[in-house]
Amino acid sequence: MDDNFHNIGFYIRDIHCQTSAELALQFKDKLEEFITVLKKLPIHRSHAERRFVYKMMKTMPDLSSQLTRGDFKALSQNITSETWVKGTTVIANEGFYIILKGSVQPRSKVYKKMIELVPADFLSEPSSEYLSEEEFFQENPLAEYHSFVYPHYIILGPWNGFGTLIELPEPKLGSNLYSLIMEEDCELLKINAKEYAKIKEEQVKMEKLTREQLIHKCPYYRNWPKLSVDELTVHIKWRRYPPGHVLVKDGEIISFVAYIQSGFCKVYREVIGLMKYQLRKMKKKRRRVFMGKLQEKESFGEISVLLQIPFTCTIITGSEVELGIINAEDMLELDWVTRKLVLQTAEQTFGYLTDEDVQNEYIARQRHKEWKKFKDKIIQSSLDCQGIIPGTGRWCHCWTRKTYEKPSADN
């Protein structure tokens, strides 16, 4: 049997008609272009070049395992490269470096510190001083190292990273922590730890502002004081739901309070209606009646959560919806003043609708449906009776615009 029979890479290369050597050459050309763009001042880069930098940074494993999409967007705007001469030493305790060209040799086992990337929040380990390399080596589960390889056998090449995104104190005199030496002339991409910390602070401020605006724009919360709004914003979590997702059913107690950031939701009430199933026979069946929509910057679920009252309607997403939600546990743990304020300002979702309103809406919709069915049947029977088939014979019209020649001056 052929050795490449189970090798997926063999078939991918065959499909793309590119060998490993061609792919390597293509990557080398991209890398040269990447370095050229980084040498430009950020203000002189075009939109396409900024996009190219963003895409290239996302392919770096040591960065993609630590940074979020927002981090990449912010960093790619102002990132630059540095040139280091052969034989120079870099102490990487104030930034994270990615090797673009050349090779680097670490002088200690600990040459980079990774931070954990969590989908919900950004977490990092607090920096602290250690008595020795071995102590740091043993106590940091997130520190990248080569445990069974001596430092002078490790050579880092292009696309390898070293350093830290968390600013650390300078190593003690005589210590080689985060110390590396250039084996040849190198091009390094550097992310300054202080700049990265500023970006995270700005992201936190923008996130807080977005949450405040979301709540303040909801009709029930427009006149709320900022202090009370802050009590809610700290508990908001973002969720996305596809179209057709049932958020809460009629008769259930909802498990969260929701604020609609984008998209809309459809609101249904249930009614018992009669349905034909045999000739002259009817049976009762529960039917959902569409009663309205919940649009952006509207909220629902406050009364159900705080008073533990079942919902009187069913809410289904009408499009892709982004919600800021507060879990019922967090809502019930708010101070009593905030809870009272919510109860005074919020209302039940479509709570003003009576059973009679729902019945009338159901009857109106059923009549409209029956009338449309009857109308379509009559029109179709009339067409069939006269032998009219739209789109064929004399009933096929090709509407074309006639062009007339302008009479010449001689005529």
Side-chain angles (χ1 to χ4, degrees), residues 209-343:
L209 182 62
T210 302
R211 295 182 181 191
E212 287 177 357
Q213 290 177 346
L214 172 63
I215 291 179
H216 258 309
K217 288 183 179 180
C218 291
Y220 303 144
Y221 303 88
R222 284 174 184 165
N223 298 322
W224 269 42
K226 187 177 182 303
L227 187 62
S228 298
V229 171
D230 290 341
E231 288 287 328
L232 299 178
T233 56
V234 294
H235 298 294
I236 286 182
K237 299 179 179 65
W238 298 107
R239 294 288 184 272
R240 282 185 179 273
Y241 295 99
H245 182 82
V246 180
L247 297 174
V248 61
K249 291 182 179 179
D250 185 7
E252 293 181 350
I253 298 176
I254 194 169
S255 60
F256 57 84
V257 175
Y259 305 89
I260 304 176
Q261 173 72 356
S262 62
F264 69 92
C265 298
K266 295 180 179 180
V267 180
Y268 296 87
R269 286 282 296 269
E270 290 191 352
V271 65
I272 297 176
L274 295 176
M275 185 178 179
K276 290 181 181 179
Y277 72 99
Q278 285 183 6
L279 186 63
R280 296 181 180 178
K281 288 188 177 181
M282 309 284 285
K283 67 175 182 179
K284 292 181 179 181
K285 187 176 181 181
R286 280 189 169 274
R287 307 298 296 269
R288 282 180 180 170
V289 185
F290 175 72
M291 303 304 298
K293 294 180 182 180
L294 290 170
Q295 303 286 358
E296 291 182 10
K297 306 302 181 287
E298 288 190 287
S299 63
F300 60 90
E302 296 95 337
I303 304 298
S304 178
V305 168
L306 291 177
L307 298 181
Q308 293 295 289
I309 296 175
F311 245 73
T312 57
C313 55
T314 299
I315 299 180
I316 302 175
T317 56
S319 64
E320 185 175 351
V321 174
E322 183 178 7
L323 301 178
I325 71 167
I326 302 177
N327 291 326
E329 296 81 8
D330 296 329
M331 202 72 183
L332 293 170
E333 289 176 1
L334 294 173
D335 62 89
W336 69 273
V337 175
T338 307
R339 293 202 305 271
K340 284 289 184 183
L341 191 58
V342 173
L343 290 173

Side-chain angles (χ1 to χ4, degrees), residues 63-161:
L63 293 184
S64 60
S65 62
Q66 301 183 80
L67 303 179
T68 63
R69 184 181 177 185
D71 296 336
F72 277 114
K73 281 188 175 181
L75 290 169
S76 61
Q77 300 299 314
N78 299 309
I79 201 78
T80 56
S81 66
E82 297 180 351
T83 303
W84 289 75
V85 182
K86 179 181 178 180
T88 54
T89 301
V90 57
I91 299 174
N93 66 310
E94 294 182 349
F96 199 88
Y97 296 81
I98 298 291
I99 304 169
L100 304 178
K101 184 187 287 187
S103 57
V104 176
Q105 179 185 352
R107 298 178 63 191
S108 68
K109 291 178 181 178
V110 182
Y111 61 86
K112 67 179 175 182
K113 176 181 171 67
M114 307 290 280
I115 56 176
E116 185 179 4
L117 180 62
V118 181
D121 297 303
F122 176 84
L123 298 178
S124 62
E125 290 195 336
S127 60
S128 57
E129 296 187 33
Y130 294 88
L131 298 176
S132 64
E133 291 182 19
E134 293 300 326
E135 187 179 346
F136 185 94
F137 181 73
Q138 293 170 3
E139 293 188 14
N140 269 273
L142 298 176
E144 290 283 335
Y145 53 80
H146 295 262
S147 55
F148 300 108
V149 184
Y150 290 103
H152 55 273
Y153 290 140
I154 303 172
I155 298 295
L156 304 178
W159 245 233
N160 288 130

